[in-house]
Amino acid sequence: MALTAPHATCWLDGTFQPLANARISPLDRGFLFGDAVYEVLPCYAGRPFLFHPHMARLERSLREIGLAAPLDRAQWAQVLRGLVAHNQAQDATLYLQVSRGAEWGRNHAPPATPKATVFAYATPLPPLDPKTLNEGVAVATFPDERWGRCDIKSTALLANVLAKDRAQSAGAFEAVLVADGWLREGSSTTVMLVHQGRLVAPPDSPQILPGTTRDFLFALAKTAGIAVERRDIRATELHEADEVLLGFATRGALPVTQVDGRAVGSDLAAGRPGPVWQRLHGAFQARIKHWADVPFDAPVDAPL
Ligand SMILES: Cc1ncc(COP(=O)(O)O)c(C=O)c1O
């Protein structure tokens, strides 16, 4: 397949090369078993945003699957800097993947000394759609059919893919996953709600991915004097909440204005993006706007 990518240079196993020509073995365990972990981080004004939290999560995912980190943070920073430079990227999505590599044969048991396949590429990040910000997005709930270690950012995403497909077929932007009546997360987003002025999200557990955007939004909320809470959330609370938010690295916070066809919120404000989202979104955008002034290697995990 001929690929013409807007950001045409990728990084694969130690070299920058045209994405269209990049090749990995079909025996790669990432391809055969989904034996791989990944990260997605945004880049604003040519600078990766929340680099250290994303690196910390990647290191954790690697630890949890027993794969040695192929690069340290300084080396990852070099890779990202190279991707940005080669592609003249400004606002972009940066993708990193580490698989347990290729071996002869097909063995579930990992090799004793795997040689990781390491891949990174960039795609342009389009500006936020004003219609989405004005009107919010719709979500639909579905049973969580994923495995028991959703805290590992694994490329084995078939259940997430199918859930997103079902949501989009139902006219919704995102699938919100529910298990035994409890809210988990979206297929590729953290789900948060606002109740009596508090920003609430489920606590970390093996059932959800620890969201970098969620953590950043919680930090922004605290700075803005908005109370925050981590607790288990019943799916029915989505219908009682004043606001529902989605958080994910490439878009920050999006307002959810419909859950399963019902307007979020009450009275005149129902079905409209709410005031807590507006404040958090404003604070988030203000951070991004100043990003061009932040040196690449600044301690970006202390952003406030
Ligand atoms: C299942 C899942 N939950 C939550 C998130 C949000 O995480 P982050 O804010 O780090 O993008 C993602 C992002 O891809 C995800 O795939």
Side-chain angles (χ1 to χ4, degrees), residues 149-205:
R149 289 303 308 274
C150 296
D151 55 317
I152 298 171
K153 199 163 168 64
S154 157
T155 61
L157 289 168
L158 186 55
N160 305 57
V161 166
L162 296 181
K164 182 82 91 184
D165 188 42
R166 287 167 79 184
Q168 297 200 339
S169 300
F173 172 80
E174 174 64 307
V176 169
L177 304 175
V178 173
D180 299 325
W182 297 102
L183 168 68
R184 299 286 200 225
E185 60 183 338
S187 72
S188 60
T189 58
T190 301
V191 181
M192 292 158 275
L193 55 80
V194 177
H195 181 64
Q196 295 181 336
R198 298 168 88 79
L199 180 66
V200 192
D204 282 344
S205 77

Coordinates of all heavy atoms in Angstrom, one line a residue, residues 149-205:
R149 N -6.6 -6.2 32.8 CA -5.4 -5.3 33.0 C -5.4 -4.1 32.1 O -4.5 -3.8 31.4 CB -4.1 -6.1 32.9 CG -3.8 -7.1 33.9 CD -3.8 -6.5 35.4 NE -2.9 -5.4 35.5 CZ -1.6 -5.4 35.8 NH1 -1.0 -6.6 35.9 NH2 -0.9 -4.3 35.9
C150 N -6.6 -3.3 32.2 CA -6.7 -2.2 31.3 C -5.8 -1.0 31.8 O -5.7 0.0 31.1 CB -8.2 -1.7 31.3 SG -9.2 -3.0 30.6
D151 N -5.1 -1.2 32.9 CA -4.1 -0.2 33.3 C -2.9 -0.2 32.5 O -2.0 0.7 32.6 CB -3.8 -0.3 34.8 CG -3.3 -1.7 35.2 OD1 -3.9 -2.7 34.6 OD2 -2.3 -1.9 35.9
I152 N -2.7 -1.3 31.8 CA -1.5 -1.4 30.9 C -1.9 -0.9 29.5 O -2.9 -1.3 29.0 CB -1.0 -2.9 30.8 CG1 -0.6 -3.5 32.1 CG2 0.1 -3.0 29.8 CD1 -0.4 -5.0 32.1
K153 N -1.1 0.0 29.0 CA -1.5 0.6 27.7 C -1.0 -0.3 26.6 O 0.0 -0.1 26.0 CB -1.0 2.1 27.6 CG -1.7 2.9 26.5 CD -1.4 4.4 26.7 CE -1.9 5.2 25.5 NZ -3.4 5.2 25.3
S154 N -1.8 -1.4 26.4 CA -1.4 -2.4 25.4 C -2.0 -2.1 24.1 O -3.1 -1.5 24.0 CB -2.0 -3.7 26.0 OG -2.1 -4.7 24.9
T155 N -1.3 -2.6 23.0 CA -1.8 -2.4 21.7 C -3.0 -3.4 21.4 O -3.6 -3.3 20.3 CB -0.7 -2.5 20.6 OG1 -0.2 -3.9 20.7 CG2 0.4 -1.5 20.8
A156 N -3.2 -4.3 22.3 CA -4.3 -5.3 22.0 C -5.6 -4.6 22.3 O -6.1 -4.7 23.4 CB -4.1 -6.5 22.9
L157 N -6.1 -4.0 21.3 CA -7.3 -3.0 21.5 C -8.5 -3.5 20.8 O -9.4 -2.6 20.6 CB -6.9 -1.6 21.1 CG -5.8 -0.9 21.9 CD1 -5.3 0.3 21.2 CD2 -6.4 -0.5 23.3
L158 N -8.7 -4.8 20.5 CA -9.8 -5.2 19.7 C -11.1 -4.8 20.4 O -12.1 -4.3 19.8 CB -9.7 -6.7 19.5 CG -10.8 -7.2 18.5 CD1 -10.8 -6.5 17.2 CD2 -10.6 -8.7 18.3
A159 N -11.2 -5.1 21.7 CA -12.5 -4.7 22.4 C -12.8 -3.2 22.4 O -13.9 -2.8 22.2 CB -12.5 -5.2 23.8
N160 N -11.7 -2.4 22.5 CA -11.9 -1.0 22.4 C -12.4 -0.6 21.0 O -13.2 0.3 20.8 CB -10.6 -0.2 22.7 CG -10.0 -0.7 24.0 OD1 -9.8 -1.8 24.3 ND2 -9.8 0.3 24.9
V161 N -11.8 -1.2 20.0 CA -12.1 -0.9 18.6 C -13.6 -1.3 18.3 O -14.3 -0.5 17.7 CB -11.2 -1.7 17.6 CG1 -11.7 -1.7 16.2 CG2 -9.7 -1.2 17.7
L162 N -14.0 -2.4 18.8 CA -15.4 -2.8 18.6 C -16.4 -1.9 19.3 O -17.4 -1.6 18.8 CB -15.6 -4.3 19.0 CG -14.8 -5.3 18.2 CD1 -15.0 -6.7 18.6 CD2 -15.1 -5.2 16.7
A163 N -16.0 -1.5 20.5 CA -16.9 -0.6 21.3 C -17.0 0.7 20.6 O -18.1 1.3 20.4 CB -16.3 -0.4 22.7
K164 N -15.9 1.3 20.1 CA -15.9 2.6 19.4 C -16.8 2.4 18.1 O -17.6 3.3 17.8 CB -14.5 3.0 19.0 CG -14.4 4.4 18.3 CD -14.5 5.5 19.3 CE -13.1 5.9 19.8 NZ -13.1 7.0 20.8
D165 N -16.6 1.3 17.4 CA -17.4 1.1 16.2 C -18.9 1.1 16.5 O -19.7 1.7 15.8 CB -16.9 -0.2 15.6 CG -17.5 -0.4 14.2 OD1 -17.6 0.6 13.4 OD2 -18.0 -1.5 13.9
R166 N -19.2 0.4 17.6 CA -20.7 0.3 18.0 C -21.2 1.7 18.3 O -22.3 2.0 18.0 CB -20.8 -0.7 19.2 CG -20.7 -2.1 18.8 CD -20.6 -3.0 20.0 NE -21.8 -3.3 20.6 CZ -21.9 -4.0 21.8 NH1 -20.9 -4.4 22.4 NH2 -23.1 -4.2 22.3
A167 N -20.4 2.4 19.1 CA -20.8 3.8 19.4 C -21.0 4.7 18.2 O -22.0 5.3 18.1 CB -19.8 4.4 20.4
Q168 N -20.1 4.6 17.3 CA -20.2 5.5 16.1 C -21.3 5.0 15.2 O -22.0 5.9 14.6 CB -18.8 5.6 15.4 CG -17.8 6.2 16.4 CD -16.6 6.8 15.8 OE1 -16.2 6.5 14.6 NE2 -15.9 7.7 16.5
S169 N -21.6 3.7 15.2 CA -22.7 3.3 14.4 C -24.0 3.8 15.0 O -25.0 3.9 14.3 CB -22.8 1.7 14.4 OG -21.6 1.2 13.8
A170 N -24.0 4.0 16.3 CA -25.2 4.5 17.0 C -25.2 6.1 17.0 O -26.0 6.7 17.7 CB -25.2 4.0 18.5
G171 N -24.3 6.7 16.2 CA -24.3 8.1 16.1 C -23.6 8.8 17.3 O -23.7 10.0 17.4
A172 N -22.9 8.1 18.1 CA -22.2 8.7 19.3 C -20.7 8.8 18.9 O -20.1 8.1 18.2 CB -22.4 7.8 20.5
F173 N -20.1 9.8 19.6 CA -18.6 10.1 19.4 C -17.8 9.0 20.1 O -16.7 8.6 19.7 CB -18.3 11.4 20.0 CG -16.9 11.8 20.1 CD1 -16.2 12.2 18.9 CD2 -16.2 11.7 21.3 CE1 -14.8 12.5 19.0 CE2 -14.8 12.0 21.4 CZ -14.2 12.4 20.2
E174 N -18.3 8.6 21.3 CA -17.5 7.7 22.1 C -18.4 6.6 22.8 O -19.5 6.9 23.1 CB -16.7 8.5 23.2 CG -15.9 7.7 24.3 CD -14.8 6.9 23.7 OE1 -15.0 6.1 22.8 OE2 -13.7 7.1 24.2
A175 N -17.7 5.4 23.0 CA -18.4 4.4 23.8 C -17.9 4.5 25.3 O -16.7 4.6 25.5 CB -17.9 3.0 23.3
V176 N -18.9 4.6 26.2 CA -18.6 4.6 27.6 C -18.8 3.2 28.1 O -19.9 2.7 28.0 CB -19.4 5.7 28.3 CG1 -19.3 5.6 29.8 CG2 -19.0 7.1 27.8
L177 N -17.7 2.7 28.7 CA -17.8 1.3 29.1 C -18.2 1.1 30.6 O -17.7 1.8 31.5 CB -16.4 0.7 28.9 CG -15.9 0.8 27.4 CD1 -14.5 0.3 27.3 CD2 -16.8 0.2 26.4
V178 N -19.1 0.2 30.8 CA -19.8 0.0 32.1 C -19.6 -1.5 32.4 O -19.8 -2.4 31.6 CB -21.3 0.4 32.0 CG1 -22.0 0.1 33.3 CG2 -21.4 1.9 31.6
A179 N -19.3 -1.8 33.7 CA -19.2 -3.1 34.2 C -20.0 -3.3 35.5 O -19.7 -2.5 36.4 CB -17.7 -3.5 34.4
D180 N -20.9 -4.2 35.5 CA -21.8 -4.4 36.7 C -22.4 -3.1 37.2 O -22.4 -2.9 38.4 CB -21.0 -5.1 37.8 CG -20.4 -6.4 37.4 OD1 -21.2 -7.1 36.6 OD2 -19.3 -6.8 37.8
G181 N -22.7 -2.2 36.3 CA -23.4 -1.0 36.8 C -22.4 0.1 37.1 O -22.8 1.3 37.4
W182 N -21.1 -0.2 37.1 CA -20.0 0.8 37.4 C -19.4 1.4 36.2 O -19.1 0.7 35.2 CB -18.9 0.2 38.3 CG -19.4 -0.3 39.6 CD1 -19.6 -1.6 39.9 CD2 -19.8 0.5 40.7 NE1 -20.1 -1.7 41.2 CE2 -20.2 -0.4 41.7 CE3 -19.7 1.9 41.0 CZ2 -20.6 0.0 43.0 CZ3 -20.2 2.3 42.3 CH2 -20.6 1.4 43.3
L183 N -19.2 2.8 36.2 CA -18.6 3.4 35.1 C -17.1 3.1 35.1 O -16.4 3.2 36.2 CB -18.7 5.0 35.3 CG -17.9 5.9 34.4 CD1 -18.3 5.7 32.9 CD2 -17.9 7.3 34.9
R184 N -16.6 2.7 34.0 CA -15.1 2.5 33.8 C -14.5 3.7 33.1 O -14.0 4.6 33.8 CB -14.8 1.2 33.1 CG -15.4 0.0 33.7 CD -14.6 -0.4 35.0 NE -14.8 -1.8 35.3 CZ -15.0 -2.3 36.5 NH1 -15.1 -1.5 37.5 NH2 -15.2 -3.6 36.7
E185 N -14.5 3.7 31.8 CA -13.9 4.8 31.0 C -14.4 4.7 29.6 O -15.2 3.8 29.3 CB -12.4 4.6 31.1 CG -11.9 3.3 30.5 CD -10.4 3.1 30.6 OE1 -9.6 4.1 30.7 OE2 -9.9 2.0 30.5
G186 N -14.0 5.6 28.7 CA -14.3 5.5 27.3 C -13.4 4.5 26.6 O -12.4 4.0 27.2
S187 N -13.7 4.2 25.4 CA -12.9 3.3 24.6 C -11.5 3.8 24.4 O -10.5 3.1 24.3 CB -13.6 2.9 23.3 OG -13.5 4.0 22.4
S188 N -11.4 5.1 24.4 CA -10.0 5.7 24.3 C -10.0 7.1 25.0 O -9.2 8.0 24.7 CB -9.6 6.0 22.8 OG -10.6 6.8 22.2
T189 N -10.8 7.2 26.1 CA -10.9 8.4 26.9 C -11.2 8.1 28.3 O -11.7 7.0 28.7 CB -12.1 9.3 26.4 OG1 -13.3 8.5 26.5 CG2 -11.9 9.7 24.9
T190 N -10.8 9.1 29.2 CA -11.3 9.0 30.6 C -12.6 9.7 30.7 O -12.8 10.8 30.0 CB -10.3 9.8 31.5 OG1 -9.0 9.1 31.4 CG2 -10.7 9.7 33.0
V191 N -13.5 9.1 31.4 CA -14.8 9.8 31.6 C -14.9 10.4 33.0 O -14.6 9.7 34.0 CB -16.0 8.8 31.4 CG1 -17.3 9.5 31.6 CG2 -15.9 8.1 30.0
M192 N -15.3 11.6 33.1 CA -15.4 12.3 34.4 C -16.8 13.0 34.5 O -17.4 13.2 33.4 CB -14.3 13.5 34.5 CG -12.9 12.9 34.6 SD -11.6 14.1 34.0 CE -11.7 13.8 32.3
L193 N -17.2 13.3 35.7 CA -18.5 14.0 35.8 C -18.3 15.1 36.8 O -17.4 15.2 37.6 CB -19.6 13.1 36.0 CG -19.6 12.2 37.2 CD1 -20.0 12.9 38.5 CD2 -20.6 11.1 37.0
V194 N -19.3 16.1 36.7 CA -19.3 17.2 37.7 C -20.6 17.0 38.5 O -21.7 16.9 37.9 CB -19.3 18.5 37.0 CG1 -19.5 19.7 38.0 CG2 -18.0 18.7 36.1
H195 N -20.4 16.9 39.8 CA -21.6 16.7 40.7 C -21.5 17.7 41.8 O -20.4 17.7 42.5 CB -21.7 15.3 41.2 CG -22.8 15.0 42.1 ND1 -24.1 15.1 41.6 CD2 -22.9 14.7 43.4 CE1 -24.9 14.8 42.6 NE2 -24.2 14.6 43.7
Q196 N -22.5 18.6 42.0 CA -22.4 19.6 43.0 C -21.1 20.4 43.0 O -20.5 20.6 44.0 CB -22.7 19.0 44.4 CG -24.1 18.4 44.5 CD -24.4 17.8 45.8 OE1 -23.5 17.4 46.5 NE2 -25.7 17.7 46.1
G197 N -20.7 20.7 41.8 CA -19.5 21.6 41.7 C -18.2 20.8 41.7 O -17.1 21.4 41.6
R198 N -18.2 19.5 42.1 CA -17.0 18.8 42.2 C -16.7 18.0 40.9 O -17.6 17.5 40.3 CB -17.1 17.7 43.3 CG -17.3 18.3 44.6 CD -17.7 17.1 45.6 NE -16.5 16.5 46.2 CZ -15.9 17.0 47.2 NH1 -16.2 18.1 47.7 NH2 -14.8 16.4 47.7
L199 N -15.4 18.0 40.5 CA -15.0 17.2 39.4 C -14.7 15.8 39.9 O -13.8 15.6 40.8 CB -13.7 17.8 38.8 CG -13.1 17.1 37.6 CD1 -14.1 17.1 36.4 CD2 -11.8 17.7 37.2
V200 N -15.4 14.7 39.4 CA -15.3 13.4 39.9 C -14.8 12.4 38.8 O -15.3 12.5 37.7 CB -16.6 12.9 40.5 CG1 -16.4 11.6 41.3 CG2 -17.3 14.0 41.3
A201 N -13.9 11.5 39.2 CA -13.4 10.5 38.2 C -13.2 9.2 39.0 O -12.9 9.2 40.2 CB -12.2 10.9 37.5
P202 N -13.4 8.0 38.4 CA -13.1 6.8 39.1 C -11.6 6.7 39.5 O -10.7 7.2 38.8 CB -13.4 5.7 38.0 CG -14.3 6.4 37.0 CD -13.8 7.8 37.0
P203 N -11.3 6.0 40.6 CA -9.9 5.9 41.0 C -9.2 4.9 40.2 O -9.8 4.1 39.4 CB -10.1 5.3 42.5 CG -11.4 4.6 42.5 CD -12.3 5.3 41.5
D204 N -7.8 5.0 40.2 CA -7.0 4.1 39.4 C -7.3 2.7 39.9 O -7.5 2.4 41.1 CB -5.5 4.4 39.7 CG -5.1 5.6 38.8 OD1 -5.8 6.0 37.9 OD2 -4.0 6.2 39.1
S205 N -7.3 1.8 39.0 CA -7.5 0.3 39.2 C -7.1 -0.4 38.0 O -6.8 0.2 37.0 CB -9.0 0.1 39.5 OG -9.7 0.1 38.3

